[in-house]
Amino acid sequence: MRGPTDLLHLLTRAERLLARRLSTLLDAEDCSLDAWRVITLLADGSRFMTEISERAFMPPGSLTRLIDHLVEENVVYRRGDDLDRRRIKVYLTARGRRLHQRVDERIRADLGDVPLGDSLGDLLEALESTGRPSRSTVSIE
């Protein structure tokens, strides 16, 4: 039976291998992995900076610098919230949407051979719903 340390090792290894494959595709678009995480989050709609920071696993200062760069590249724009001007919302521009569509298609084509079986989905669901999966609900294969 594998333990939590093995799970951490396997997830870390999977993330690094995936990041390496994505970096090759993203480099062709002059896009970093962090920028891609943000662009992907914004493809579903505008988000507040605090939410982007949490969901992209970036500290607020680093996110602000990245957003500044993406604004300069005309990939995103930001606006103050109508109800609370202290909160900043970020949106994809038309150029950002085209970039997302183009890169997303390339990623889907390139990663079509990566198996994402039900056990990974079960694992993610268990991790998100409880914060601590029980041994009986998660198997590592």
Side-chain angles (χ1 to χ4, degrees), residues 107-122:
I107 289 172
R108 287 177 189 275
D110 187 67
L111 297 179
D113 64 328
V114 176
L116 294 176
D118 291 338
S119 61
L120 179 59
D122 293 342

Side-chain angles (χ1 to χ4, degrees), residues 7 11 117-140:
L7 174 61
L11 290 173
D118 291 338
S119 61
L120 179 59
D122 293 342
L123 171 63
L124 291 174
E125 184 176 316
L127 289 171
E128 289 176 346
S129 66
T130 65
R132 275 190 178 175
S134 67
R135 289 182 184 218
S136 62
T137 60
V138 177
S139 66
I140 303 170

Side-chain angles (χ1 to χ4, degrees), residues 2 5 8 13 15-16 18 20-21 25 30 36-37 42 67 71 76 82 84-86 91 100-101 105 132-133 135 139:
R2 296 182 181 187
T5 304
L8 179 62
R13 183 167 180 252
E15 189 273 335
R16 289 184 180 164
L18 181 59
R20 192 176 314 147
R21 280 183 74 172
L25 296 170
D30 197 27
W36 180 247
R37 284 185 183 110
L42 295 174
I67 294 295
V71 167
V76 303
D82 293 335
D84 184 352
R85 301 301 287 176
R86 296 171 294 176
Y91 305 79
H100 177 265
Q101 184 177 2
E105 287 172 3
R132 275 190 178 175
R135 289 182 184 218
S139 66

Side-chain angles (χ1 to χ4, degrees), residues 36 39-40 42-43 70 73-77 91-103:
W36 180 247
I39 291 166
T40 301
L42 295 174
L70 294 174
E73 297 293 317
N74 193 28
V75 174
V76 303
Y77 67 96
Y91 305 79
L92 277 182
T93 62
R95 181 173 190 232
R97 291 202 180 285
R98 288 190 303 271
L99 172 65
H100 177 265
Q101 184 177 2
R102 187 172 60 246
V103 174

